[in-house]
């Protein structure tokens, strides 16, 4: 069993466990599935009252690999849930 399959199996056993979700998101990014990783890592961040910095690092990497560099920077440096579009980020930075 490869790492991605093992991570999926862990989430199947504990679908609400933030650590399992974060590991799955990390494995997805490593295997070229960054778009699929984004909602999973956001779910992990939302499920933990005080998410570890590693979750934000995985989120930032997910957004970066998915071609959303503005979201990557914002998410990596923020404890907030990612809830705005890239165009809103660009508008805010140009104001």
């Amino acid at each position: 069993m490869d790492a991605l399959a093992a991570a999926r199996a862990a989430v199947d056993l504990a679908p609400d466990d933030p650590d399992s979700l974060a590991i799955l998101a990390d494995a997805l990014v490593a295997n070229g599935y960054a778009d699929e990783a984004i909602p999973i890592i956001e779910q992990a961040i939302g499920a933990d009252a005080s998410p570890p910095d590693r979750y934000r690092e995985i989120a930032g990497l997910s957004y970066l690999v998915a071609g959303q560099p503005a979201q990557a920077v914002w998410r990596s440096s923020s404890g907030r849930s990612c809830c705005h579009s890239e165009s809103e980020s660009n508008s805010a930075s140009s104001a």
Side-chain angles (χ1 to χ4, degrees), residues 14-28:
D16 296 322
D17 178 56
D19 290 332
S20 294
L21 292 165
I23 291 167
L24 175 57
D26 201 20
L28 286 164

Side-chain angles (χ1 to χ4, degrees), residues 74-92:
W74 181 82
R75 189 43 150 147
S76 294
S77 63
S78 169
R80 299 171 294 170
S81 168
C82 189
C83 56
H84 63 276
S85 69
E86 191 169 336
S87 62
E88 289 173 331
S89 295
N90 292 339
S91 296

Side-chain angles (χ1 to χ4, degrees), residues 1 4-6 11 13 32-33 41 47 50 56 60 65 71-73 81:
M1 179 180 291
L4 183 54
V11 170
L13 292 172
Y33 301 103
I41 193 59
S50 182
R56 285 188 291 282
V65 173
Q71 296 292 65
V73 171
S81 168

Side-chain angles (χ1 to χ4, degrees), residues 34-63:
D35 289 329
E36 188 179 341
I38 291 170
I40 293 170
I41 193 59
E42 291 293 346
Q43 182 182 350
I45 291 169
D48 193 319
S50 182
D53 290 341
R54 179 71 181 136
Y55 290 10
R56 285 188 291 282
E57 291 168 3
I58 295 168
L61 181 60
S62 299
Y63 282 108

